[in-house]
Amino acid sequence: MESVNVAALESQTKEDKEFNVESPSSPRHRKVLARWDPTQAQRPNIDEAPIFRPTLEEFEDVLAYIASISPLAEPYGICRIIPPLTWSPPCRLKEKSIWEGTKFPSRIQCIDMLQNREPMKKKKKSKGIKRKRRRNSRIFFSRRPRKPTASVSKPDSSPETTEEEKKFGFESGPEFTLKEFEKYARYFKDSYFERKDDVRDAKWVPSIEEIEGEYWRIVENPTDDINVYYGADLENRVLGSGFYNGVETFSGKRDMEAIGWNLNNLPRLPGSLLSFEDEDISGILVPWLYIGMCFSTFCWHVEDHHLYSMNYHHFGEPKVWYGVPESHATSLEKAMRKHLPDLFDETPDLLHELVTQLSPSILKDEGVSVYRLVQHQGEFVLTFPRAYHSGFNSGFNCAEAVNVAPVDWLVHGQNAVEIYSQEKHKTSLSHDKILLGAAYEAVKSLCELSSAYGEESTKKFSWRSFCGKDGTLTKAIEARLRMEEGRIKDLGNGFRLLKMEKEFDLNCVRECKLCFYDLHLSASGCNNKCSSGKYVCVKHANDLCSCEGNDRFILLRYTIDELRSLVRALEGESDDLKTWASIGVDAYSETQKGELKEGGFDLNLDFQLDGKFNTSSGIHDAMMNFAAYVEPINLGFLVFGKLWCNKHAIFPKGFKSRVKFYNVKDPMKMSYYISEIVDAGLMGPLFRVTLKESQDESFSSVSAQECWEMVLQRLNKEIEKCIGQGQNVHTLASIDGLQMFGFRSAFIVESTEALDPNHRLVEYWNHKNETDSVEMKD
């Protein structure tokens, strides 16, 4: 079954020596033993997805362009967009300091096992059976990192994965610089597709079609172990974005605002509903990078919350894509379960794991519409809601991807959260919060248009087309209203209906304890100890407990009558418009006010909606009375060592929080800072504070206090400049680092203490017990 080139094993080529290739067992520089078999090519025969070439004028508005091509492209699930020739953004990753000096992690992908593999339990039972097909065969256990939510997460009770939890996945590989990865990728491809019969001077290069035929031969009928590296899902903090910030990336003759095609800007453009999501969710609102080599694979999947996605090919060799439209998504799922029943029996949510391929040829035979495209350097690929897509790289390349949510996504997003609820799958964002945020903004826009002086700018995004009786947004709110109304009626009269406090989910994500459904709009609970502090969605209200009487309740952010009024407002009813215009402003201002006032910092007059101070009254008093209000993002997990706590606080590894404070670039402005704790090895925890809107403004130290003092020093330098310009502002004298991280917050203190129920962090607990003892005596 295996064909081994003896000469290749006995000799080491000039390129091998250059790259210092080690033995095949080396995890970093494994020697390429397998070879291309052109006689067994299995390239699928499927139709091509459409290609679009926007004009300079069409290219100015990315969301308008997506809307214009959607009727033509959505039936294919994916499409290719070739920008105007004059649009050629430079790639910041090619800067020498990044290219040669910054490392990124990789994953090892077993390409020959993406389709043909045994379930883990079966593999364990047949451990003693000799398998002829494979050489050095290995199964890797891992969990693909999910896109993080804004919730405060607690670690698993046991850090070690049990046998039942083991899943096939992609093992962590070595770290590379881009320069190193390119060299290895070139060596792998040249070795794998080596042709001994080639006597031409020029080095022979396989075509995309030949690579594609070999890729599917490996996936469908493997004869060797084919392991490759992939730098996938690389977060912004690893290499950063391939795009520069600002509009200087457009080099055309016309002065046009093409910044929307910069993927750092795309998710929150006016008209993208993700602009109503506060958190910078990695992979959804903050792009991920993908560093590929020949055969590295992205397996069949749909985007989180069935969002649109935009992928840009920065440089390198082409990517081959396959797409299945939403209309055939269920058919694909059925086909995969039919052909891989044992894998799905063992892992019902297998399609969420992104580790399984199935040949387009098999899908086509099952009646699934599958389409293909080849993405080249400088081109975009757009995927549509719930369109399954997969593919592979033909050689070394770099791509970047992010999500976007035009208004027409709403119906797809609602469908996604209902499916997630059925599958008990965690959400990444609050659909209801986004839906209501869009409604508030639309009402505000309609009110401005109805005023005597209201004029709609042709350059400004217009909500009007999505409102009215048949508007997309109106219908989405109406559908959500009917859903809630029906579920509440089904519960009968055994529940009290209570008004939900605005702060219910202000500082944390609230989700159903049984199905993870988002609880922003409504939640069910019980006053008895049986479920104290636990909430479920309205669908599972009867499953929370068996209590009766007045103990069980439903919290409603808005009553059914209020939601009906919102629908009428979106339809244009003047009285309802006025009512919801004030509700929308209150909802927004209460959020801002709640974040600041709770810490004793009330900027009701001096803090404007755009985040700027009213300098006519000065900011001296506000600064002098500042008290931090810290929002936890992730609690992290404990490391039991002397440096991971002190007398005053526990410092979990991976802890992350955010707080609003004066911007170190512009002291007249309030901005978010992200505080986090990372592992510095023998040094223990490393504390880091980063200005959210500018990743370059980052401050690190071995203590929380020193970290924030560095922020303060930087801030005071800018304040002195403001003083020199005659502004009424004073420098700040001191800052409490523990407070700014959140370790003075009662909620965060209680949550971090709960991570150490056995009091293993002795220094902290001894001091706490002494303090508690003194207070009791007093």
Side-chain angles (χ1 to χ4, degrees):
M1 294 289 289
E2 297 176 349
S3 176
V4 181
N5 189 321
V6 177
L9 293 175
E10 293 177 347
S11 65
Q12 189 176 39
T13 67
K14 180 180 179 182
E15 292 176 51
D16 291 347
K17 293 176 180 178
E18 179 186 357
F19 196 71
N20 190 27
V21 177
E22 301 168 13
S23 67
S25 61
S26 170
R28 180 174 171 82
H29 300 147
R30 63 183 73 224
K31 193 173 183 67
V32 180
L33 301 178
R35 289 296 183 269
W36 175 43
D37 186 356
T39 63
Q40 301 297 318
Q42 297 194 23
R43 181 171 176 255
N45 181 20
I46 55 178
D47 293 334
E48 296 290 316
I51 303 171
F52 296 92
R53 293 177 171 85
T55 64
L56 286 172
E57 185 177 359
E58 291 172 330
F59 201 69
E60 290 184 12
D61 189 333
V62 58
L63 292 181
Y65 187 71
I66 290 174
S68 71
I69 66 173
S70 287
L72 299 173
E74 190 167 14
Y76 297 86
I78 61 174
C79 70
R80 181 173 152 211
I81 300 174
I82 302 176
L85 291 175
T86 49
W87 193 78
S88 182
C91 183
R92 61 173 291 278
L93 301 177
K94 291 186 177 181
E95 294 179 4
K96 186 175 181 180
S97 60
I98 300 174
W99 186 266
E100 299 182 5
T102 305
K103 290 185 179 291
F104 62 89
S106 68
R107 300 177 192 169
I108 303 174
Q109 293 186 322
C110 309
I111 306 303
D112 55 301
M113 300 182 72
L114 295 179
Q115 180 176 306
N116 286 278
R117 65 176 185 271
E118 296 174 344
M120 303 310 302
K121 293 177 182 177
K122 186 176 179 180
K123 175 71 178 175
K124 180 181 177 183
K125 291 178 181 178
S126 61
K127 188 175 181 181
I129 300 175
K130 186 177 181 181
R131 302 174 65 193
K132 296 181 181 179
R133 181 171 67 84
R134 301 195 184 281
R135 173 177 60 240
N136 299 328
S137 184
R138 290 190 294 170
I139 294 286
F140 299 132
F141 306 102
S142 69
R143 291 173 175 158
R144 178 179 182 266
R146 300 190 184 281
K147 295 174 183 177
T149 67
S151 61
V152 177
S153 59
K154 293 185 178 180
D156 296 333
S157 56
S158 173
E160 297 183 359
T161 306
T162 64
E163 284 295 326
E164 290 73 19
E165 291 177 322
K166 284 183 178 178
K167 300 176 182 179
F168 171 80
F170 302 140
E171 183 185 59
S172 295
E175 290 190 336
F176 292 91
T177 63
L178 286 163
K179 182 179 180 180
E180 292 169 342
F181 195 85
E182 179 188 27
K183 189 171 289 187
Y184 180 76
R186 186 179 70 247
Y187 158 75
F188 174 90
K189 186 173 179 179
D190 289 348
S191 299
Y192 192 91
F193 288 96
E194 181 182 26
R195 283 179 57 168
K196 292 296 185 182
D197 61 346
D198 188 13
V199 295
R200 292 170 294 174
D201 292 334
K203 180 178 289 187
W204 175 82
V205 177
S207 68
I208 290 294
E209 291 73 22
E210 288 170 321
I211 296 172
E212 185 178 22
E214 176 66 3
Y215 172 80
W216 287 111
R217 182 199 70 78
I218 296 168
V219 172
E220 295 190 66
N221 295 301
T223 54
D224 292 282
D225 292 339
I226 308 296
N227 297 330
V228 300
Y229 299 125
Y230 196 13
D233 301 342
L234 299 178
E235 296 183 335
N236 191 268
R237 60 184 173 79
V238 181
L239 290 174
S241 171
F243 292 96
Y244 286 96
N245 291 325
V247 299
E248 73 276 7
T249 57
F250 181 68
S251 58
K253 295 179 181 179
R254 295 183 58 189
D255 182 19
M256 56 185 281
E257 295 182 6
I259 60 171
W261 296 92
N262 179 329
L263 299 192
N264 294 294
N265 305 323
L266 179 61
R268 286 198 165 101
L269 288 179
S272 172
L273 300 181
L274 292 178
S275 60
F276 301 108
E277 169 57 54
D278 295 332
E279 296 296 327
D280 286 336
I281 303 173
S282 183
I284 293 181
L285 285 110
V286 180
W288 275 350
L289 280 176
Y290 298 85
I291 313 298
M293 63 176 285
C294 189
F295 300 147
S296 59
T297 299
F298 49 106
C299 296
W300 287 112
H301 70 286
V302 296
E303 296 298 306
D304 281 7
H305 289 261
H306 299 174
L307 290 158
Y308 287 76
S309 77
M310 188 74 83
N311 181 294
Y312 182 71
H313 191 314
H314 281 289
F315 58 79
E317 299 187 63
K319 298 172 78 77
V320 182
W321 291 70
Y322 305 95
V324 171
E326 181 184 28
S327 59
H328 282 247
T330 301
S331 298
L332 176 142
E333 293 165 359
K334 289 180 179 178
M336 292 195 71
R337 288 188 173 90
K338 174 182 176 180
H339 287 272
L340 305 169
D342 293 341
L343 297 183
F344 277 90
D345 286 344
E346 183 175 67
T347 311
D349 63 344
L350 185 64
L351 285 169
H352 289 297
E353 300 297 324
L354 280 80
V355 294
T356 306
Q357 283 288 63
L358 189 66
S359 169
S361 300
I362 296 175
L363 293 174
K364 183 180 177 181
D365 290 342
E366 293 292 337
V368 180
S369 292
V370 189
Y371 301 95
R372 168 190 183 271
L373 64 78
V374 178
Q375 181 192 22
H376 298 271
Q377 175 177 306
E379 297 177 352
F380 291 94
V381 166
L382 176 68
T383 74
F384 289 85
R386 209 192 172 192
Y388 274 94
H389 48 283
S390 71
F392 68 94
N393 300 291
S394 67
F396 172 68
N397 60 25
C398 171
E400 188 166 357
V402 79
N403 292 116
V404 64
V407 181
D408 67 5
W409 162 79
L410 281 171
V411 63
H412 305 284
Q414 186 65 59
N415 185 44
V417 294
E418 299 304 321
I419 292 174
Y420 286 175
S421 174
Q422 294 170 13
E423 297 177 346
K424 295 180 173 56
H425 180 70
K426 273 186 170 290
T427 59
S428 299
L429 46 80
S430 169
H431 182 85
D432 284 336
K433 188 179 289 186
I434 288 174
L435 179 61
L436 290 174
Y440 297 150
E441 190 65 25
V443 166
K444 176 185 173 184
S445 177
L446 291 175
C447 283
E448 291 173 353
L449 289 173
S450 64
S451 67
Y453 304 102
E455 293 184 4
E456 188 171 22
S457 169
T458 56
K459 293 185 179 180
K460 185 179 179 181
F461 175 78
S462 172
W463 285 97
R464 182 162 51 179
S465 61
F466 301 102
C467 300
K469 291 185 180 294
D470 295 321
T472 305
L473 179 56
T474 308
K475 286 184 175 181
I477 293 288
E478 191 173 18
R480 191 70 183 90
L481 158 65
R482 289 197 302 268
M483 195 181 295
E484 281 295 285
E485 186 176 21
R487 289 169 179 172
I488 291 172
K489 282 183 178 179
D490 289 343
L491 291 176
N493 298 319
F495 293 81
R496 289 184 298 151
L497 299 182
L498 304 176
K499 193 70 172 178
M500 180 186 289
E501 294 181 359
K502 289 186 175 67
E503 294 78 15
F504 177 70
D505 61 347
L506 180 61
N507 304 316
C508 62
V509 171
R510 299 280 192 178
E511 54 189 15
C512 176
K513 296 296 181 183
L514 299 179
C515 72
F516 304 115
Y517 199 85
D518 171 52
L519 303 181
H520 181 71
L521 195 59
S522 59
S524 178
C526 180
N527 287 323
N528 285 337
K529 292 182 178 180
C530 62
S531 56
S532 178
K534 296 180 180 178
Y535 296 94
V536 294
C537 64
V538 178
K539 290 185 297 183
H540 289 112
N542 281 315
D543 301 321
L544 179 62
C545 64
S546 57
C547 298
E548 297 180 356
N550 293 324
D551 293 317
R552 298 191 300 173
F553 57 84
I554 303 293
L555 298 177
L556 299 174
R557 186 170 295 275
Y558 297 115
T559 67
I560 298 300
D561 286 339
E562 286 173 328
L563 291 178
R564 289 196 186 105
S565 173
L566 177 56
V567 171
R568 292 194 298 271
L570 294 172
E571 290 175 344
E573 294 291 334
S574 58
D575 290 343
D576 297 286
L577 266 177
K578 293 176 183 177
T579 299
W580 276 93
S582 62
I583 291 176
V585 170
D586 288 345
Y588 180 84
S589 60
E590 281 296 328
T591 300
Q592 300 295 320
K593 189 176 177 181
E595 289 174 346
L596 299 173
K597 188 176 180 181
E598 188 165 337
F601 183 22
D602 190 354
L603 292 177
N604 213 16
L605 296 176
D606 294 334
F607 193 75
Q608 307 302 310
L609 290 183
D610 64 355
K612 288 282 187 178
F613 285 102
N614 181 346
T615 56
S616 62
S617 63
I619 62 172
H620 171 62
D621 292 338
M623 284 190 169
M624 295 305 293
N625 294 313
F626 180 82
Y629 175 64
V630 183
E631 295 179 64
I633 297 174
N634 197 318
L635 285 179
F637 57 92
L638 293 190
V639 176
F640 297 104
K642 183 177 180 180
L643 300 174
W644 292 90
C645 75
N646 62 19
K647 294 180 179 180
H648 307 291
I650 293 171
F651 305 126
K653 177 181 176 180
F655 175 87
K656 185 179 289 188
S657 64
R658 76 171 188 174
V659 64
K660 266 192 172 178
F661 191 57
Y662 310 100
N663 190 305
V664 293
K665 288 187 171 182
D666 180 5
M668 310 304 290
K669 176 182 176 182
M670 294 289 286
S671 297
Y672 278 113
Y673 288 81
I674 302 297
S675 302
E676 56 186 328
I677 301 175
V678 298
D679 191 344
L682 296 176
M683 294 173 61
L686 180 69
F687 298 81
R688 180 184 298 143
V689 176
T690 306
L691 181 62
K692 188 175 180 182
E693 64 187 48
S694 177
Q695 300 293 311
D696 293 337
E697 297 293 341
S698 185
F699 308 87
S700 300
S701 178
V702 293
S703 80
Q705 181 63 32
E706 290 179 5
C707 210
W708 272 99
E709 284 179 355
M710 293 165 69
V711 177
L712 190 62
Q713 291 173 7
R714 173 81 168 80
L715 176 67
N716 280 333
K717 287 182 180 179
E718 294 300 317
I719 292 177
E720 288 172 359
K721 294 179 183 178
C722 294
I723 295 173
Q725 296 170 1
Q727 296 187 22
N728 182 23
V729 55
H730 297 273
T731 57
L732 295 174
S734 62
I735 197 167
D736 186 337
L738 289 179
Q739 180 193 27
M740 299 300 286
F741 261 80
F743 295 126
R744 305 288 193 198
S745 161
F747 173 77
I748 292 177
V749 170
E750 292 173 3
S751 299
T752 54
E753 287 181 346
L755 298 176
D756 188 16
N758 297 322
H759 295 194
R760 293 175 63 185
L761 294 172
V762 178
E763 181 181 6
Y764 173 81
W765 289 107
N766 285 347
H767 183 263
K768 181 178 175 62
N769 293 335
E770 292 174 3
T771 304
D772 290 345
S773 176
V774 171
E775 289 177 352
M776 289 180 64
K777 291 180 180 179
D778 292 344

